[in-house]
C-alpha cells in the first residue's frame, strides 16, 4: 500500500544534514518565499523520523520550502502552528539518495515557456504585471520584460524555444515592439556573422526610428504623430524624451508637410517668388530677398533649422531657402 503524506507543524520540522543542497540563492529564495506567502506550500516535503522525538522529522527534500515557511512564521505572515504535508520515509538509509533525486532531476524552465506562462496568467486570471510580480517575488520590470518576449515575432520566439538563440539575443530583438521589423532583421541576420551580436541587432532595429526628443519629433508633436497613426514604443522606464517613435517614414512625411506649410506661409508673408526646403549639413536658413521696387538689393540672414537623427545613421538637417522676385 502506498504511504500518503501526513500534516506536521512546521515547528516540528528541521532540515536534515543529509540534504544534499548546501548552497542557496538569496534571490531565488526570496522569490519562493513570496510565492509561498500567497499560495502556501503545494508540494509535500519528504522527511525521516527523529529518533526518540515523536512527531518530529528531519526534511531531506523540500528544505528551501521549509526555510521559507519558518521565515514567514517569524514575520507573522503564517501562524505559529502552520502545518506542512510530509511524506515520511520508512528507511532513513535512502535519505541522501532521495535528496539527490529531488534536486538533481529538476529541469529549469525554458525561458520561452516562462514568458508564455506569465502571459497566460495575466490573460486567463485578469491579473496585472504587478500582481504577477508580487506572487512570484519578482520585479515588475522583470515580468514586463518576459511579457515583451512573449510577443516576439513567431520565428524569433520559436528560435528561443528551440535553443537556437540565447535569451540575450531574444531580449535584443524585443527592444523594438514592431514584430514586422523584428522578423525582417531576424531574416537578414540569422545566417550571418552578426546573428548573435546584440549591438548589431539593436542597431538594425532602430533604423528609421526616432526618439521622442529628436528635433523631428519635437517639430511634429506627439499628438499629431499618434493621430496620424504613428506608433510609440514604450516600456516601464521610458518617458516622453526617451520613448521611441517606430514609424519613421510617417514622421518624415509629417515633417515634410509641416515644413512645406511653413515655407508657403513664409513665401506669402515676405512676398517671395519661391521658398525651397533643402536638406543640408550646413543648417543655414538662407533668404534672398529682391523686391521689384528695389532691383539688385538683397539681404541674407542665417538661422538654425530643425535637425534630426535617424536611427544610428547619423544626423540630417533641413534648411529653407527663399528666392526673391526679379
Amino acid at each position: 500500500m502506498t504511504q500518503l503524506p501526513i500534516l506536521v507543524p512546521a515547528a516540528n520540522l528541521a532540515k536534515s544534514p543529509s540534504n544534499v543542497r548546501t548552497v542557496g540563492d538569496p534571490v531565488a529564495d526570496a522569490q519562493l518565499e513570496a510565492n509561498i506567502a500567497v499560495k502556501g506550500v503545494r508540494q509535500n516535503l519528504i522527511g525521516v523520523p527523529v529518533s526518540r522525538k515523536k512527531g518530529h522529522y528531519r526534511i531531506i527534500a523540500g528544505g528551501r520550502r521549509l526555510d521559507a515557511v519558518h521565515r514567514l512564521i517569524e514575520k507573522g505572515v503564517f501562524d505559529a502552528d502552520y502545518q506542512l504535508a510530509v511524506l515520511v520515509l520508512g528507511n532513513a538509509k535512502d535519505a541522501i539518495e532521495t535528496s539527490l533525486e529531488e534536486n538533481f532531476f529538476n529541469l529549469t524552465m525554458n525561458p520561452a515557456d516562462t514568458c508564455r506562462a506569465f502571459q497566460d496568467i495575466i490573460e486567463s486570471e485578469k491579473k496585472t504585471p504587478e500582481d504577477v510580480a508580487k506572487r512570484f517575488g519578482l520585479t515588475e520590470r522583470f515580468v514586463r520584460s518576459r511579457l515583451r518576449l512573449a510577443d516576439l515575432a513567431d520565428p524569433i520566439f520559436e528560435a528561443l524555444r528551440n535553443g537556437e538563440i540565447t535569451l540575450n539575443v531574444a531580449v535584443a530583438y524585443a527592444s523594438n515592439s514592431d514584430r514586422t521589423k523584428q522578423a525582417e532583421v531576424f531574416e537578414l541576420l540569422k545566417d550571418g556573422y552578426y546573428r548573435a551580436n546584440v549591438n548589431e541587432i539593436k542597431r538594425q532595429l532602430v533604423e528609421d526610428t526616432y526618439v521622442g526628443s529628436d528635433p523631428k519629433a519635437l517639430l511634429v508633436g506627439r499628438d499629431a504623430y499618434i493621430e496620424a497613426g504613428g506608433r510609440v514604443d514604450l516600456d516601464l522606464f521610458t518617458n516622453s524624451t526617451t520613448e521611441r517613435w517606430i514609424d519613421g517614414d510617417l514622421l518624415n512625411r509629417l515633417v515634410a508637410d509641416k515644413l512645406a506649410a511653413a515655407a508657403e506661409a513664409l513665401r506669402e508673408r515676405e512676398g517671395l517668388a519661391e521658398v525651397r526646403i533643402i536638406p543640408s549639413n550646413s543648417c543655414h536658413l538662407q533668404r534672398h530677398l529682391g523686391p521689384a521696387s528695389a532691383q539688385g538689393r538683397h539681404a541674407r540672414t542665417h538661422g538654425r533649422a530643425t535637425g534630426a537623427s535617424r536611427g544610428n545613421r547619423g544626423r540630417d538637417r533641413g534648411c529653407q531657402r527663399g528666392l526673391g522676385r526679379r
Side-chain angles (χ1 to χ4, degrees), residues 14-229:
K15 285 204 300 186
S16 169
S18 300
N19 194 312
V20 299
R21 186 186 291 276
T22 60
V23 178
D25 181 336
V27 174
D29 292 344
Q31 293 169 357
L32 177 63
E33 180 182 328
N35 183 251
I36 289 175
V38 176
K39 293 294 184 179
V41 179
R42 296 184 172 188
Q43 183 180 359
N44 67 264
L45 314 184
I46 301 176
V48 294
V50 177
S51 60
R52 296 188 297 277
K53 207 168 183 181
K54 186 176 180 180
H56 287 250
Y57 301 89
R58 288 197 176 95
I59 300 304
I60 60 174
R64 290 181 61 235
R65 279 163 274 160
L66 178 60
D67 285 342
V69 169
H70 282 160
R71 290 193 297 270
L72 290 168
I73 291 174
E74 291 176 2
K75 295 175 181 178
V77 178
F78 287 167
D79 295 334
D81 59 353
Y82 187 86
Q83 294 183 320
L84 292 164
V86 180
L87 178 64
V88 180
L89 295 183
N91 188 351
K93 294 180 180 180
D94 296 333
I96 294 178
E97 182 179 348
T98 301
S99 179
L100 181 60
E101 291 170 351
E102 171 84 2
N103 292 281
F104 187 79
F105 293 111
N106 278 343
L107 178 64
T108 301
M109 281 188 70
N110 183 294
D113 292 337
T114 303
C115 298
R116 284 289 161 82
F118 285 156
Q119 189 179 54
D120 290 344
I121 290 174
I122 288 174
E123 292 178 356
S124 63
E125 300 182 22
K126 309 301 180 185
K127 300 295 184 182
T128 66
E130 183 181 6
D131 295 332
V132 175
K134 289 180 179 178
R135 182 185 298 186
F136 291 94
L138 304 168
T139 64
E140 186 177 349
R141 180 182 184 180
F142 178 87
V143 174
R144 287 186 180 277
S145 69
R146 291 301 181 265
L147 292 173
R148 188 139 177 163
L149 291 180
D151 284 329
L152 282 170
D154 291 339
I156 304 172
F157 191 82
E158 288 306 310
L160 175 63
R161 186 193 296 277
N162 297 332
E164 297 168 6
I165 61 173
T166 65
L167 182 60
N168 285 340
V169 169
V171 170
Y173 278 107
S175 64
N176 187 325
S177 63
D178 187 339
R179 289 163 55 92
T180 301
K181 183 71 172 180
Q182 291 173 3
E184 290 174 355
V185 174
F186 181 71
E187 185 64 26
L188 177 67
L189 299 179
K190 68 177 183 179
D191 297 321
Y193 178 78
Y194 291 105
R195 62 184 178 277
N197 187 312
V198 296
N199 292 327
E200 178 63 16
I201 292 169
K202 290 179 179 180
R203 190 190 72 80
Q204 293 279 351
L205 288 169
V206 299
E207 289 257 337
D208 302 320
T209 68
Y210 298 83
V211 292
S213 60
D214 190 282
K216 285 188 177 181
L218 297 176
L219 175 66
V220 171
R222 193 177 194 274
D223 292 342
Y225 169 75
I226 293 176
E227 185 178 348

